């Protein structure tokens, strides 16, 4: 059976996965996800490009999220979503689904532009989902899922597609603001927090993914049970939220970035819970202790479903952790550079609270330049660029970071400037919203545009959330972004040329050359 998928950075040969997914996705699953996508376009058509009700919104958002890279490998669960989508579509009066062949075939530039919008919408669905489970919704955002999916099933000129991409970028900013509001109102504003990479003896559970709501429920259910909780991957910033860090059994962070999990989980006597993407096919040696929840799925892994009022019962995860018992002694682990302490919590509230110090440091020349070195991590050796870039950045520069790309360098101690650490972790990928707010505030303080600030964005991309963030940055008119480790396969040469001409997007080269070009 053949398939086609080119939605992530590790796509086969830099062109597309056609036999099986490099991520482990089987052709059956890929084709079922395409069928779901085409049914969702049918649903959006039946709904007239506008969300009809909350139940349909949830179905649209969950279904899109299930097609994001490393989220759901379970064909049966995808098929259930197709069945629900068809039923809902028929309730709304019915409409024709999009033709599956047309999804990835046709005029190369139209396919490229349509794919860019579709993949951005898939990315945004993850953020909307996390806000949704906390009860935060926004009509403009919800409606745009339906408008966008209906639009994807139509023909447009290149100019119209580009206008749609910019409109989508602005909507995604709203969606990221919605999630920021959901997280900070539920758990407080992040505060700078040191996080150990060591694991204490005794039973423990490692929580991976982005969903703070799941982590909170698990913390409540494990309190007083002699089980410690550790974050993994994109869950690291959870340590900085006051309403989460108050739990004394939230101990530290396990492992490094997501792509190392098959090596790092092997033989570990603890349970693992995946709340969102970044799940890799588990090895048989540890599959018995991996649990999924929410939209995540993998055949054979135990799934924790949502119960009444969204409450989940994590008893099977807790029992597995107790059965495994954890390490008999405290264990010392390090990040990839040998450090055993990470710092997080430099989100917008914290950074803006010291804005005067930052502005003064820039004016006095103590801080010469800011780099936002952020985005996803991945397996390619070329991603070493980001470690080297940060190591080589001059001592009078500050590194802002977010998302899991930071595991390349977040255990480095780069010292401080004027009392501020030289590496400031702003949070998960969604916290690009924080970075944008800080950049806009600095631009206001210096009475200039963001493009005129001593700030350069050096981004690493892997999956679809990076696509929606990139479109938001472009919709804000942000130029001169360095992008790597390779350019998306779904950008045709003509579309890439347009982006380069309009926004001066630059592929990364070497740390030495790029630093020289940026700093002069
Ligand atoms: Fe290939 Fe990435 Fe698609 Fe997986 S998600 S099938 S690796 S392009």
């Amino acid at each position: 059976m053949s398939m086609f998928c080119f939605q992530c950075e590790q796509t086969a040969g830099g062109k597309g996965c056609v036999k099986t997914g490099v991520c482990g996705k089987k052709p059956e699953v890929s084709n079922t996800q395409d069928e779901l996508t085409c049914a969702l376009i049918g649903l959006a058509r039946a709904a007239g490009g506008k969300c009809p009700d909350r139940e349909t919104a949830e179905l649209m958002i969950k279904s899109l999220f299930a097609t994001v890279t490393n989220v759901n490998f379970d064909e049966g669960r995808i098929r259930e979503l197709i069945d629900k989508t068809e039923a809902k579509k028929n309730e709304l009066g019915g409409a024709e689904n999009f033709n599956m062949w047309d999804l990835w075939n046709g005029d190369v530039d139209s396919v490229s532009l349509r794919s860019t919008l579709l993949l951005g919408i898939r990315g945004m669905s993850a953020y909307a989902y996390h806000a949704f489970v906390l009860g935060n919704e926004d009509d403009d955002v919800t409606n745009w899922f339906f408008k966008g999916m209906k639009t994807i099933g139509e023909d447009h000129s290149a100019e119209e597609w580009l206008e749609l991409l910019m409109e989508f970028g602005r909507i995604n900013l709203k969606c990221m603001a919605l999630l920021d509001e959901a997280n900070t109102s539920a758990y407080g504003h992040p505060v700078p927090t040191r996080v150990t990479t060591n694991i204490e003896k005794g039973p423990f559970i490692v929580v991976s993914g982005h969903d703070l709501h799941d982590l909170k429920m698990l913390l409540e259910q494990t309190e007083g049970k002699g089980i410690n909780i550790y974050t993994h991957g994109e869950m690291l910033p959870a340590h900085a939220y006051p309403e989460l860090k108050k739990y004394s059994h939230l101990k530290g962070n396990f492992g490094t970035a997501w792509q190392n999990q098959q090596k790092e989980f092997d033989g570990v006597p603890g349970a693992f819970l995946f709340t969102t993407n970044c799940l890799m096919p588990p090895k048989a040696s540890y599959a018995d202790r991996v649990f999924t929840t929410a939209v995540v799925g993998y055949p054979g892994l135990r799934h924790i479903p949502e119960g009444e009022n969204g409450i989940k019962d994590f008893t099977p995860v807790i029992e597995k952790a107790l059965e495994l018992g954890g390490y008999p002694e405290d264990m010392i682990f390090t990040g990839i550079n040998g450090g055993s302490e990470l710092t997080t919590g430099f989100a917008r509230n914290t950074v803006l609270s010291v804005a005067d110090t930052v502005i003064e440091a820039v004016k006095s020349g103590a801080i010469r330049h800011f780099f936002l070195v952020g985005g996803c991590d991945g397996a390619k050796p070329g991603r070493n660029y980001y470690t080297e870039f940060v190591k080589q950045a001059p001592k009078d520069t500050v590194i802002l970071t977010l998302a899991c790309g930071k595991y390349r360098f977040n255990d480095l101690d780069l010292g401080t400037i004027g009392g501020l650490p030289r590496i400031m972790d702003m949070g998960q990928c969604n916290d690009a919203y924080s970075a944008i707010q800080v950049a806009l505030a600095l631009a206001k303080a210096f009475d200039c545009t963001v493009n005129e600030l001593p700030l350069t964005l050096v981004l690493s991309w892997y999956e679809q959330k990076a696509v929606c963030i990139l479109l938001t940055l472009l919709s804000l008119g942000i130029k001169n972004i360095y992008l790597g480790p390779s350019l998306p396969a779904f950008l045709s040469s003509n579309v890439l040329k347009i982006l380069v001409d309009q926004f001066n997007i630059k592929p990364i080269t070497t740390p030495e050359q790029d630093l020289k070009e940026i700093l002069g």
Side-chain angles (χ1 to χ4, degrees), residues 3 5-8 10-12 17 20-25 69 462:
M3 60 178 274
C5 184
F6 63 173
Q7 68 173 349
C8 83
Q10 68 177 357
T11 195
C17 295
T20 194
V22 175
C23 61
K25 186 164 74 172
T69 301
Y462 171 68

Side-chain angles (χ1 to χ4, degrees), residues 63 77 92 159 174 176 184 207 216 258 289 383 388 427 467 520:
S63 300
R77 296 256 312 276
L92 294 170
E159 291 71 28
K174 265 195 147 184
M176 291 199 293
T184 53
V207 187
K216 173 83 157 92
W258 67 272
R289 58 206 64 183
R383 287 181 181 266
E388 288 307 311
V467 178

Side-chain angles (χ1 to χ4, degrees), residues 198-207 215 218-219 222-231 247-252 269-271 317-318 321-322 325-327 330:
N198 298 330
I199 307 292
E200 291 184 16
K201 66 181 177 186
F204 67 97
I205 299 169
V206 174
V207 187
L215 176 64
L218 184 67
L219 285 166
T222 47
E223 201 170 17
K225 290 202 166 88
I227 297 172
N228 289 327
I229 305 295
Y230 293 86
T231 56
Y247 291 92
S248 60
H249 62 303
L250 178 60
K251 289 287 185 181
V317 191
I318 292 167
L322 290 170
Y327 292 108
D330 292 351

